[in-house]
Amino acid sequence: MPRKIIIDTDPGQDDAAAILLALASPDELELLGITTVAGNVPLDLTTKNAQMVCEVAKRPDVKIFAGCDRPLAHTLVTAEHVHGKTGLDGPPLPNPKMPVQDQHGVDFIIDTLRHEPPGTVTICPLGPLTNIGTALQKAPDIADRIQEIVLMGGAYFQVGNITPAAEFNIYVDPEAADIVFKSGAPIVVMPLDVTHKVLVTQARLDAFRALGTHVGRMVAGWTEFFERFDKEKYGSAGAPLHDPTTIAYLLRPDLFSGRHINVEIETGSKLTRGMTVADWWRVTDRPANATFMGDVDADGFFELLTERMARL
Ligand code: BDR
Ligand code: CA
């Protein structure tokens, strides 16, 4: 039986690749719905981008729910400098026609977790944790019903990408992240420590394009667009493809390794707000609350991604 998932996202070119990877894997994953959140760009754009990605995959039947348009306690910080004005800059796409559901994303998350048998729904957050934090705040009973939260966010060895101390998704809404990490739900974290090892090199980008399909060209075009920023910043051979690591983990957990440790979120300090304080070296007796990944088989990851894109 495929594993039931909800993708919570702020597309974002790398979010787009993650959504496509899930849609390409129906034997393993049943996508119950996509909830959108303000993050890389404001909510109206992340929602439109989610629609466009589903249409690229020829899946206008996917249920998309718009969620929160701002973080719990602070003003929204966006990342147009990375993802472009639309959030999904790259090859042009027509305006989407598929519908957005009337229900709020947070209510969809709560209702789904309450109606499906406990322990059977996994949530994959690929953006700021506002929707998940709000859902847990509104309906604390859902924490025990979540199978797993597999999220992209945070960093320990790589520290930060939006500030010297914080990764973007956690930085945008640390209060929401704090709720999630304290919720007691099982959590798997794909931090920058992992995603900075899955770089879209020229050869990997060429492999997407060589598929000769619309999806292959789109993934190549998207990654090529947001590469320019990270390549310049890190001087690396290619940009990290952050968000699809979460879906890849659901398909091939053997590609990843990490530690079950305590992870807490800095919400107080102005200087280090949004820092994921990960007890990687187990120097405290704070209880473990998350599996924090540290390594990945990057070639295996790209082989999986390319092979799945070929199915769309
Ligand atoms: C995260 O921030 C976003 O810009 C990306 O989509 C990814 O989810 C990386 O820090
Ligand atoms: Ca994202």
Side-chain angles (χ1 to χ4, degrees), residues 191-207:
L192 297 180
D193 308 337
V194 166
T195 66
H196 281 186
K197 291 177 180 160
V198 289
L199 302 178
V200 189
T201 57
Q202 189 60 46
R204 288 166 175 165
L205 197 141
D206 291 344

Side-chain angles (χ1 to χ4, degrees), residues 9-10 14-15 40 126-127 169 243:
T9 178
D10 63 338
D14 59 324
D15 303 70
N40 286 325
L126 313 177
N169 288 341
D243 292 339

